[in-house]
Amino acid sequence: MAACYAALIVTEEMWEAALEYPNGFPGDNNAPDWIACELDQHPHGDHFATLRDLTKADDGAVWAVWPAPEHAEIHHLVHCPSTSPKKQDACWLPTGHRGGHTWERFE
C-alpha cells in the first residue's frame, strides 16, 4: 500500500518542542519546512511523521502527530519492533501503528 503523505508545515514552535528531547544526532538542528504522514493511506484518524530521529540509546524518534494541522502535537515514540521475514529491514514507524510496516513497501 502507498503512504498517506498528508503534509504538515513545521512551525518554529514545533521544532523547538522536538529539540527538547535529548539524544538527537549531532547536527540535526535544521528544521524541515514540512513533513508528510508516513502511515499507509488512511481515510481518517491521526497522521504521523518523523521530526527527528534519536540515537539508538534512546530507541525511537520525535514525531508530529495530528488529526488536523492546527492540532499537531509532538511526542517521543519508540520504533515498531517488526522486521522483514529475512530480518534485513526494520519498520521505522512507531510501535502500535496502523496499516502495514514500512519494510513491506520495499519487499
Side-chain angles (χ1 to χ4, degrees):
M1 181 173 256
C4 171
Y5 296 121
L8 179 68
I9 294 172
V10 177
T11 66
E12 186 175 325
E13 293 81 20
M14 290 169 60
W15 187 245
E16 287 173 1
L19 289 175
E20 290 179 12
Y21 291 91
N23 300 329
F25 286 94
D28 72 348
N29 45 358
N30 293 322
D33 292 330
W34 61 276
I35 50 179
C37 181
E38 298 175 48
L39 298 179
D40 285 345
Q41 291 178 348
H42 52 101
H44 53 78
D46 288 343
H47 300 285
F48 288 76
T50 306
L51 269 174
R52 66 190 278 255
D53 287 313
L54 301 176
T55 61
K56 195 75 167 164
D58 203 55
D59 192 29
V62 179
W63 291 79
V65 180
W66 72 100
E70 63 274 11
H71 298 292
E73 297 180 356
I74 309 305
H75 298 280
H76 166 244
L77 301 172
V78 176
H79 287 124
C80 174
S82 176
T83 58
S84 64
K86 295 180 183 178
K87 308 281 187 224
Q88 294 176 336
D89 296 304
C91 181
W92 65 73
L93 296 173
T95 296
H97 65 85
R98 66 187 195 186
H101 300 291
T102 52
W103 56 260
E104 292 176 302
R105 296 180 192 155
F106 304 104
E107 285 208 343

